[in-house]
Amino acid sequence: QKEVEQNSGPLSVPEGAIASLNCTYSDRGSQSFFWYRQYSGKSPELIMFIYSNGDKEDGRFTAQLNKASQYVSLLIRDSQPSDSATYLCAVKGSGNDMRFGAGTRLTVKP
Amino acid sequence: EAQVTQNPRYLITVTGKKLTVTCSQNMNHEYMSWYRQDPGLGLRQIYYSMNVEVTDKGDVPEGYKVSRKEKRNFPLILESPSPNQTSLYFCASRPTGTGSEAFFGQGTRLTVV
């Protein structure tokens, strides 16, 4: 069974701090990695994707991928209360399947 | 406006009564899929479709059917719903050339009593 694992949280950080969200996956053939943000009662929203080892930055968000360790992370700098949401890690394998982690709930306290 | 539209948004039904949740996208995407989301389990893929008349099972296909007769529509059919199908359902579509479902529908909250 191909798995995507995330800490469920909740993860609580003060406003302005860096939030670090982690994800591990079991399928070594995985090629594409994604982070979605989901506000309560809303649909998931794609915020970052990464295909190659290393870091990818987009504004306050940085995605990090280490295929050897089967590990992908999301850093949110200067966290804002509006970043409070559940963050879903998604992994696309060598086929057409897309697997999601259960999500990490982030709370940013003013 | 580019969007994925699901209907209905909320549905309460009784065990065994056939129902259909519709999904339509206006972006000419080839890939469409259905997920269910349950607390602590994340998003689990039910079925997906790579193109018209091409569908395949995801992780949790039991009790569900789909069809893809037109590119824009991908309905989810529950022939005989049971209480364990009570869940939040999402339809999603993506363009070719990228690796993810970039667009999700608004979700359908289904309760089977």
Side-chain angles (χ1 to χ4, degrees), chain B residues 87-112:
Chain B
S87 188
L88 178 60
Y89 291 86
F90 288 103
C91 178
S93 75
R94 67 170 167 87
T96 56
T98 66
S100 175
E101 286 80 17
F103 298 89
F104 277 83
Q106 316 96 304
T108 296
R109 187 166 292 281
L110 172 65
T111 302
V112 183

Short mmCIF file of all heavy atoms in Angstrom, two decimals, chain B residues 87-112:
data_model
loop_
_atom_site.label_atom_id
_atom_site.label_comp_id
_atom_site.label_asym_id
_atom_site.label_seq_id
_atom_site.Cartn_x
_atom_site.Cartn_y
_atom_site.Cartn_z
N SER B 87 -20.12 11.12 3.72
CA SER B 87 -18.79 11.71 3.57
C SER B 87 -18.90 13.05 2.85
O SER B 87 -19.98 13.47 2.43
CB SER B 87 -17.89 10.76 2.77
OG SER B 87 -16.55 11.21 2.75
N LEU B 88 -17.75 13.70 2.74
CA LEU B 88 -17.62 14.91 1.92
C LEU B 88 -16.93 14.51 0.62
O LEU B 88 -15.83 13.95 0.65
CB LEU B 88 -16.80 15.96 2.67
CG LEU B 88 -16.52 17.28 1.96
CD1 LEU B 88 -17.82 18.00 1.60
CD2 LEU B 88 -15.65 18.18 2.84
N TYR B 89 -17.57 14.81 -0.51
CA TYR B 89 -17.07 14.37 -1.80
C TYR B 89 -16.57 15.58 -2.62
O TYR B 89 -17.22 16.62 -2.65
CB TYR B 89 -18.17 13.66 -2.59
CG TYR B 89 -18.55 12.33 -1.99
CD1 TYR B 89 -19.49 12.23 -0.97
CD2 TYR B 89 -17.94 11.16 -2.43
CE1 TYR B 89 -19.82 11.01 -0.41
CE2 TYR B 89 -18.26 9.93 -1.88
CZ TYR B 89 -19.20 9.88 -0.87
OH TYR B 89 -19.52 8.65 -0.32
N PHE B 90 -15.44 15.37 -3.27
CA PHE B 90 -14.88 16.41 -4.14
C PHE B 90 -14.62 15.85 -5.52
O PHE B 90 -14.07 14.76 -5.67
CB PHE B 90 -13.56 16.95 -3.59
CG PHE B 90 -13.69 17.80 -2.38
CD1 PHE B 90 -13.40 17.33 -1.12
CD2 PHE B 90 -14.12 19.13 -2.51
CE1 PHE B 90 -13.52 18.13 0.00
CE2 PHE B 90 -14.24 19.94 -1.39
CZ PHE B 90 -13.94 19.44 -0.14
N CYS B 91 -14.99 16.63 -6.51
CA CYS B 91 -14.61 16.38 -7.89
C CYS B 91 -13.45 17.30 -8.22
O CYS B 91 -13.38 18.43 -7.69
CB CYS B 91 -15.80 16.67 -8.80
SG CYS B 91 -15.47 16.46 -10.56
N ALA B 92 -12.54 16.83 -9.06
CA ALA B 92 -11.40 17.66 -9.41
C ALA B 92 -11.04 17.43 -10.87
O ALA B 92 -11.30 16.36 -11.43
CB ALA B 92 -10.20 17.33 -8.52
N SER B 93 -10.42 18.44 -11.48
CA SER B 93 -9.94 18.29 -12.85
C SER B 93 -8.58 18.95 -12.98
O SER B 93 -8.22 19.83 -12.17
CB SER B 93 -10.93 18.89 -13.86
OG SER B 93 -10.87 20.31 -13.85
N ARG B 94 -7.82 18.51 -13.97
CA ARG B 94 -6.52 19.13 -14.20
C ARG B 94 -6.21 19.14 -15.69
O ARG B 94 -6.69 18.30 -16.44
CB ARG B 94 -5.42 18.41 -13.44
CG ARG B 94 -5.10 17.00 -13.91
CD ARG B 94 -3.83 16.51 -13.23
NE ARG B 94 -3.61 15.08 -13.39
CZ ARG B 94 -2.98 14.52 -14.43
NH1 ARG B 94 -2.56 15.27 -15.42
NH2 ARG B 94 -2.79 13.22 -14.47
N PRO B 95 -5.37 20.08 -16.07
CA PRO B 95 -4.92 20.10 -17.46
C PRO B 95 -3.84 19.06 -17.69
O PRO B 95 -3.21 18.60 -16.74
CB PRO B 95 -4.35 21.52 -17.62
CG PRO B 95 -3.92 21.89 -16.24
CD PRO B 95 -4.86 21.20 -15.29
N THR B 96 -3.63 18.69 -18.92
CA THR B 96 -2.52 17.80 -19.24
C THR B 96 -1.22 18.58 -19.13
O THR B 96 -1.21 19.80 -19.22
CB THR B 96 -2.66 17.24 -20.66
OG1 THR B 96 -2.76 18.34 -21.58
CG2 THR B 96 -3.90 16.38 -20.77
N GLY B 97 -0.15 17.87 -18.90
CA GLY B 97 1.15 18.52 -18.82
C GLY B 97 1.54 18.92 -17.41
O GLY B 97 2.66 19.27 -17.15
N THR B 98 0.61 18.90 -16.50
CA THR B 98 0.97 19.13 -15.11
C THR B 98 0.66 17.87 -14.32
O THR B 98 0.00 16.97 -14.82
CB THR B 98 0.19 20.30 -14.49
OG1 THR B 98 -1.18 19.95 -14.42
CG2 THR B 98 0.35 21.55 -15.32
N GLY B 99 1.14 17.82 -13.11
CA GLY B 99 1.03 16.57 -12.37
C GLY B 99 -0.03 16.52 -11.31
O GLY B 99 -0.05 15.60 -10.52
N SER B 100 -0.93 17.48 -11.31
CA SER B 100 -1.85 17.50 -10.18
C SER B 100 -3.24 17.94 -10.56
O SER B 100 -3.44 18.56 -11.59
CB SER B 100 -1.32 18.45 -9.11
OG SER B 100 -2.24 18.59 -8.06
N GLU B 101 -4.17 17.60 -9.71
CA GLU B 101 -5.51 18.15 -9.82
C GLU B 101 -5.46 19.57 -9.29
O GLU B 101 -5.51 19.81 -8.11
CB GLU B 101 -6.51 17.33 -9.02
CG GLU B 101 -6.87 16.02 -9.64
CD GLU B 101 -5.84 14.94 -9.41
OE1 GLU B 101 -5.01 15.12 -8.51
OE2 GLU B 101 -5.85 13.94 -10.11
N ALA B 102 -5.38 20.53 -10.17
CA ALA B 102 -5.24 21.90 -9.73
C ALA B 102 -6.56 22.56 -9.37
O ALA B 102 -6.58 23.56 -8.71
CB ALA B 102 -4.53 22.72 -10.81
N PHE B 103 -7.67 22.00 -9.79
CA PHE B 103 -8.97 22.61 -9.58
C PHE B 103 -9.94 21.63 -8.94
O PHE B 103 -10.19 20.58 -9.49
CB PHE B 103 -9.55 23.09 -10.91
CG PHE B 103 -8.73 24.13 -11.59
CD1 PHE B 103 -7.72 23.77 -12.46
CD2 PHE B 103 -8.96 25.47 -11.36
CE1 PHE B 103 -6.94 24.72 -13.08
CE2 PHE B 103 -8.20 26.44 -11.98
CZ PHE B 103 -7.19 26.07 -12.84
N PHE B 104 -10.48 22.04 -7.80
CA PHE B 104 -11.46 21.23 -7.10
C PHE B 104 -12.84 21.88 -7.17
O PHE B 104 -12.96 23.11 -7.20
CB PHE B 104 -11.08 21.09 -5.62
CG PHE B 104 -10.07 20.01 -5.34
CD1 PHE B 104 -8.72 20.26 -5.50
CD2 PHE B 104 -10.47 18.76 -4.91
CE1 PHE B 104 -7.78 19.27 -5.24
CE2 PHE B 104 -9.54 17.76 -4.65
CZ PHE B 104 -8.20 18.02 -4.81
N GLY B 105 -13.85 21.07 -7.18
CA GLY B 105 -15.21 21.56 -7.02
C GLY B 105 -15.45 21.98 -5.58
O GLY B 105 -14.58 21.82 -4.71
N GLN B 106 -16.64 22.52 -5.32
CA GLN B 106 -16.95 23.09 -3.99
C GLN B 106 -17.22 22.02 -2.94
O GLN B 106 -17.25 22.31 -1.74
CB GLN B 106 -18.18 24.00 -4.08
CG GLN B 106 -18.21 24.92 -5.26
CD GLN B 106 -19.03 24.31 -6.40
OE1 GLN B 106 -18.75 23.20 -6.87
NE2 GLN B 106 -20.05 25.03 -6.86
N GLY B 107 -17.41 20.81 -3.38
CA GLY B 107 -17.68 19.72 -2.44
C GLY B 107 -19.16 19.42 -2.31
O GLY B 107 -20.00 20.31 -2.46
N THR B 108 -19.46 18.16 -2.04
CA THR B 108 -20.83 17.71 -1.78
C THR B 108 -20.83 16.94 -0.47
O THR B 108 -20.12 15.95 -0.34
CB THR B 108 -21.33 16.79 -2.92
OG1 THR B 108 -21.39 17.52 -4.13
CG2 THR B 108 -22.71 16.21 -2.59
N ARG B 109 -21.60 17.46 0.47
CA ARG B 109 -21.70 16.77 1.76
C ARG B 109 -22.89 15.83 1.71
O ARG B 109 -24.03 16.28 1.65
CB ARG B 109 -21.81 17.76 2.90
CG ARG B 109 -21.74 17.07 4.27
CD ARG B 109 -21.49 18.05 5.40
NE ARG B 109 -20.18 18.65 5.38
CZ ARG B 109 -19.06 18.09 5.80
NH1 ARG B 109 -19.08 16.84 6.24
NH2 ARG B 109 -17.92 18.75 5.78
N LEU B 110 -22.61 14.54 1.73
CA LEU B 110 -23.64 13.52 1.61
C LEU B 110 -23.84 12.82 2.95
O LEU B 110 -22.88 12.40 3.59
CB LEU B 110 -23.24 12.48 0.56
CG LEU B 110 -24.13 11.24 0.45
CD1 LEU B 110 -25.52 11.62 -0.03
CD2 LEU B 110 -23.51 10.19 -0.47
N THR B 111 -25.10 12.71 3.34
CA THR B 111 -25.47 11.95 4.54
C THR B 111 -26.44 10.86 4.12
O THR B 111 -27.48 11.16 3.50
CB THR B 111 -26.12 12.84 5.61
OG1 THR B 111 -25.20 13.88 5.97
CG2 THR B 111 -26.48 12.03 6.84
N VAL B 112 -26.12 9.62 4.45
CA VAL B 112 -27.00 8.50 4.16
C VAL B 112 -27.51 7.95 5.49
O VAL B 112 -26.73 7.55 6.35
CB VAL B 112 -26.26 7.38 3.39
CG1 VAL B 112 -27.23 6.26 3.04
CG2 VAL B 112 -25.60 7.94 2.14
#
